[in-house]
Amino acid sequence: MTEQIGLFGDLPAPEAAALAPETWDQIPTSASVPIPPGTYADLDQLASHCKQCQRCDLARGRTNVVVSRGSAAASVMIIGEGPGQSEDEQGLPFVGKSGQLLEKILASVRLDTENDVYICNVVKCRPPGNRAPTSGEIAACVPYLKEQVRLVDPKIILLTGGTALKGLLGITQGITKVRGNWMEWEGRHCMAIFHPAYLLRNPSKEKGKPKWLMWQDIQAIRKKLDELST
Ligand code: URA
């Protein structure tokens, strides 16, 4: 194991990443430095890099870097697009109006956001005016997300909206077509679901409408989790 100096003091160097110490220090400052699987020994190391990250221009406008909330031991990981204003202010994902709706959806199938899920985003800094992150911003940030997946090791990944679907799985098909179907990715069960912000804009609970479809999806997710836990 290479001795790690600088950023993490006495922490051991990541086992799998064959990065020279000087390259390691460059990860958060240059998007051209890759973040190979196994780079981080734990989520604290990862968060430390994220908090000083300058890999893309979103760093300039942020108040806080938004890494995660919930439980790192959770079986379910929920991935959103990127922080909005409330998230940027508080440094936590899904704490604004979308987050409140997400909490209700999860609670409807007895999932608690503190203990049962780990929540994060494709990009960790707020895009200006809440625009969607660009491909370059996603490419700079998604290796952190892949390390979060590896370290949390969830059984189920829920991708809320098209950016999460494209960011992690590279799927560009419309969310309306893909949602509700189980997909396998790196041995994990993944499902794309509507983004809560989309549900806020489409409040009808009528059969076949987005909210009704979400209710079908969250029940299927609960069922899968129960099956995997027995
Ligand atoms: N929307 C997202 O996709 N993520 C958040 O954290 C908040 C709103």
Side-chain angles (χ1 to χ4, degrees):
M1 188 189 289
T2 357
E3 197 186 327
Q4 196 64 67
I5 44 165
L7 280 177
F8 299 107
D10 293 337
L11 285 175
E15 299 259 10
L19 294 173
E22 59 278 12
T23 313
W24 166 266
D25 281 349
Q26 287 165 17
I27 288 175
T29 57
S30 169
S32 67
V33 178
I35 307 178
T39 292
Y40 296 107
D42 56 45
L43 290 163
D44 287 344
Q45 275 194 355
L46 178 139
S48 172
H49 264 191
C50 288
K51 283 180 183 157
Q52 54 178 315
C53 186
Q54 307 283 332
R55 286 168 71 87
C56 79
D57 282 349
L58 293 182
R60 292 202 205 153
R62 73 183 176 221
T63 310
N64 283 295
V65 179
V66 176
V67 182
S68 70
R69 72 181 175 102
S71 167
S75 298
V76 180
M77 177 182 267
I78 300 175
I79 303 174
E81 178 174 298
Q85 185 179 351
S86 307
E87 290 76 20
D88 177 62
E89 283 166 8
Q90 295 182 46
L92 294 167
F94 280 106
V95 289
K97 286 204 171 110
S98 289
Q100 285 159 20
L101 179 55
L102 180 64
E103 300 252 354
K104 280 191 195 163
I105 293 165
L106 295 170
S108 74
V109 291
R110 306 179 315 284
L111 288 174
D112 173 82
T113 43
E114 287 302 306
N115 302 304
D116 301 325
V117 296
Y118 177 89
I119 307 179
C120 56
N121 282 308
V122 172
V123 296
K124 305 209 169 352
C125 300
R126 184 190 183 199
N130 294 343
R131 65 159 170 76
T134 64
S135 305
E137 289 157 358
I138 293 172
C141 208
V142 89
Y144 290 130
L145 176 65
K146 290 187 173 167
E147 280 292 84
Q148 285 176 296
V149 173
R150 185 183 65 79
L151 289 163
V152 173
D153 195 20
K155 292 183 176 135
I156 293 175
I157 299 178
L158 304 178
L159 302 143
T160 68
T163 301
L165 181 62
K166 184 170 168 231
L168 189 68
L169 305 190
I171 295 174
T172 50
Q173 262 181 304
I175 194 83
T176 322
K177 287 222 166 111
V178 181
R179 60 132 282 281
N181 295 306
W182 288 110
M183 297 171 276
E184 199 242 288
W185 178 76
E186 297 197 349
R188 302 177 202 283
H189 303 274
C190 301
M191 188 191 280
I193 55 175
F194 286 124
H195 194 286
Y198 181 71
L199 301 178
L200 288 170
R201 296 194 297 273
N202 294 275
S204 169
K205 291 182 181 161
E206 223 177 282
K207 188 172 179 185
K209 299 282 189 194
K211 269 201 163 172
W212 183 86
L213 293 169
M214 175 60 105
W215 175 235
Q216 313 308 307
D217 294 348
I218 199 67
Q219 288 180 92
I221 291 157
R222 177 77 246 183
K223 190 160 170 263
K224 176 71 80 183
L225 186 59
D226 290 345
E227 283 166 12
L228 294 172
S229 311
T230 52

